[in-house]
Amino acid sequence: MSDQTTFDAIIVGSGITGGWAAKELTEKGLKTLVLEAGRNIIPEEDYVEHVPEWEMKFRGMGDRRKLVAEQPIQSTCYACDEWSSKFFIKDKELPYTTDPGKPFSWIRGRQVGGRSITWGRQSYRWSDLDFEANLRDGIAIDWPLRYADLAPWYDYVEEFAGISGEALGLTQLPDSKFLPPMALNCAERFVRSELTKHFGGERVLTIGRAAILTQDHRDRAACHYCGPCERGCITRSYFSSLNATLPAAEKTGRMTLRPYSVVHSVMFDPNTRRAAGVRIIDAQTKAALEFRARVVFLCASALESSRILLNSSNPEFLNGLANSSGQLGRNLMDHISSAGASAVIPGNEDRFEIGRRPNGTYMPRFRNVKAKHKDFLRGYGFQGGAHRVGWERGVKQAGFGPSFKKTLSQPGPWAFVFYGFGECLPNPSNYIELDKEKVDAWGIPTLKIHCAWRENELALRKDMAVSAAEMLEAVGGKDIRPIQLDDPPGLTIHEMGTARMGRDPKTSVLNAFNQAHDVKNLFVTDGAAMASSSCVNPSLTYMALTARACDYAVSQMKKGEL
Ligand SMILES: Cc1cc2nc3c(=O)[nH]c(=O)nc-3n(C[C@H](O)[C@H](O)[C@H](O)COP(=O)(O)OP(=O)(O)OC[C@H]3O[C@@H](n4cnc5c(N)ncnc54)[C@H](O)[C@@H]3O)c2cc1C
Ligand code: SF4
């Protein structure tokens, strides 16, 4: 009988990064165990993107009392609605604490596929403007790699995942290997050409770069514009680990996927100075079990991977495994958003949106690209787009009778919104630590999260509203409304840092290949590894880093170094 507890590789988590690690390691010949804390997902039963409002018990409004009781934090995320709340955790089962007056919204998915089911699919490459930023500004530590190191791996993951978008040739936002772009609508085309007139090539409006297929690709069908992707996608048209990487790993016959396996800690062997394997709690039976492997990949999402390491203390590493630098848990980041502006764009009233395009517009960063801004470092990009006001016809459109029917056939004017996503500086005072007094539903110590926006992020947020309103005015927008909300860190759902990469083991947890300096057969390839945050969505970079780390780990194993 084969040994069911010993593998070549163990991967913790099956979301965006765990899925990539599973595909890469199994395809390279490793017998791989994927340990996933949550339940299994069966697309044919769990995906609900085609279920209309009238078939939902609460007509799409959700069981608000239940949401507030069970998911008070998760339900602050736009995607956690009556359909998709099942893809988000129950907050009571996985508590954490924050400092008074300093909330942090930790949005999580615990199931096979992780948050790759609900993510917004916006996919952008980072550039050397990002990888050189810390060095240039004298902040935190320099990244141990540059764009040229990652570019082939961006090519590699994009070719598999399928990223649609438009090539622009900008240095601050390198082009991907694109599938054809989705089309801009008439109001977006108008805004784009007016912006070019007023700002030259400095502020460019383009269609969002999205991990959504615009043509059939690798056995997956092109998107049919049904709209609510966060509910799943039975045609596998957007990239998720369930739709793409896990099936590829499964196909090799070398993957064992074990749902309901909550990893408690990594076991360390002091004689070999290697990770021996992991301890888990079976989420259904609560039994404690152990699994062993030659390499361990932590892909549980930034804060969960660091939490596992903090909980893996031993006599040699008293403050968390692989933490001789003391940097584990430090420099937590998220993107600052919730600011921009909206306006009515007159004209084109005889034209309509076609289908439910699951994508918006993007404007790449223009601050601190050529000229230095006096008020802040780094910059922001704008997501957004144009739509006809009141054309959604969702349940939230109130009314009844003939006048209501009439409004349904008469959409309002075109409106455009710019919504900023700004870079967050690494700051050691934004950190996590283990709360040994408070455990989760599986008896594992929880986190205390200490995090707040600092001066630079708040200055970015202020400028987002000003520059967005300025652009809408320049293009002839009416009823211009600046947006500046006070959303806490975490809510942009791009949490990063806490086990940063770097060249020096004294100041970083991981090396340039996401390998722990202190424990050579331990890799962390999710957002925990990031040494700075850029202003663009991070998941494509996590994918490229993961594929690169897998390639490195297997080549080291072949050389007998691991
Ligand atoms: C609504 C929404 C919109 C988003 N939009 C975008 C976007 O447009 N672009 C972008 O780049 N990013 C976006 N993100 C963020 C993106 O989803 C994450 O960056 C990405 O999923 C991170 O990948 P990951 O593998 O690190 O974590 P996840 O995908 O979260 O997967 C982690 C997995 O690990 C499992 N796990 C956790 N702890 C343990 C444990 N102890 N033992 C075993 N398993 C464990 C979890 O159950 C989960 O399945 C969005 C997220 C959300 C929720
Ligand atoms: S809009 Fe496209 S990608 Fe999204 S769920 Fe529908 S078919 Fe899939």
Side-chain angles (χ1 to χ4, degrees), residues 246-264:
L246 291 174
E250 180 69 39
K251 214 165 143 189
T252 65
R254 295 188 196 97
M255 175 175 75
T256 303
L257 173 61
R258 191 179 196 283
Y260 294 116
S261 305
V262 185
V263 171
H264 170 278

Side-chain angles (χ1 to χ4, degrees), residues 5 10-12 33 35-37 110 258 260-270 274-283 286-293 296 298 307-315 321 442 444-445 522:
T5 59
I10 287 176
I11 298 165
V12 181
L33 173 66
L35 294 167
E36 167 52 54
R110 257 200 180 198
R258 191 179 196 283
Y260 294 116
S261 305
V262 185
V263 171
H264 170 278
S265 51
V266 177
M267 298 181 291
F268 178 69
D269 179 345
R274 292 162 61 103
V278 299
R279 286 189 196 92
I280 74 154
I281 310 290
D282 185 295
K286 301 261 166 111
L289 303 168
E290 292 184 359
F291 294 94
R292 289 169 188 274
V296 175
L298 295 186
R307 178 177 166 215
I308 291 169
L309 289 178
L310 287 166
N311 199 37
S312 306
S313 302
N314 57 57
L321 185 61
W442 296 274
I444 300 174
L522 177 64

Side-chain angles (χ1 to χ4, degrees), residues 16-17 36-37 111 114-115 120-122 263 493 526 537 539:
I16 288 190
T17 59
E36 167 52 54
Q111 61 267 323
R115 287 176 296 181
R121 308 155 308 278
Q122 291 295 303
V263 171
I493 328 179
D526 54 33
N537 306 57
S539 305

